[in-house]
Amino acid sequence: MSTDTAGAKPDERHSGAQFVVFLCFTEPAAGVSSEEDIRPHLGVHKEWLAGAEASGELLFAGPMLDGEYRYSGSGLLVLRATSVAEASAIVDRDPLHEKGLRVYRIVPWQINEGAFDVRLTFSSTQFRIV
């Protein structure tokens, strides 16, 4: 997969970085319990996530939380791709989607503004996004 997002054309009427990524909103499939049905497959799902991250396809991923900061069953993946079709092809390789345990919806997202810093502490080999 190319990490060049030249195919994903930003709306140039807006100012800013105009970088397009793809948001993948993922939910348990109908009749699937997020706890009991998905838990046995979390290991292979996490391996897939690590591979997608290493390849540069995955920018961010994680569960959505409820009002008490507990896993709600929903999740979000932020993907680097050149089109919705390419983003779908990436997500289709996730074992949870391959097995029909989760369903997803992909939305192109144009990033115009924002910032984050990463603090890397060499002595403890830890990092923190600030």
Side-chain angles (χ1 to χ4, degrees), residues 118-129:
V118 177
R119 179 178 173 85
L120 175 63
T121 306
F122 293 105
S123 62
S124 64
T125 63
Q126 295 181 346
F127 75 93
R128 183 173 64 125
I129 297 175

Side-chain angles (χ1 to χ4, degrees), residues 44-102:
V44 293
H45 169 67
K46 288 181 179 182
E47 288 175 18
W48 175 81
L49 287 169
E53 179 184 47
S55 73
E57 296 170 320
L58 177 67
L59 294 172
F60 302 101
M64 300 294 210
L65 305 177
D66 65 17
E68 296 182 13
Y69 303 101
R70 295 186 183 172
Y71 176 53
S72 70
S74 301
L76 177 66
L77 307 169
V78 181
L79 304 165
R80 185 181 289 130
T82 60
S83 65
V84 170
E86 185 178 342
S88 293
I90 293 166
V91 176
D92 287 341
R93 295 191 315 260
D94 179 345
L96 297 180
H97 294 109
E98 281 182 333
K99 295 177 187 313
L101 297 169
R102 294 185 72 80

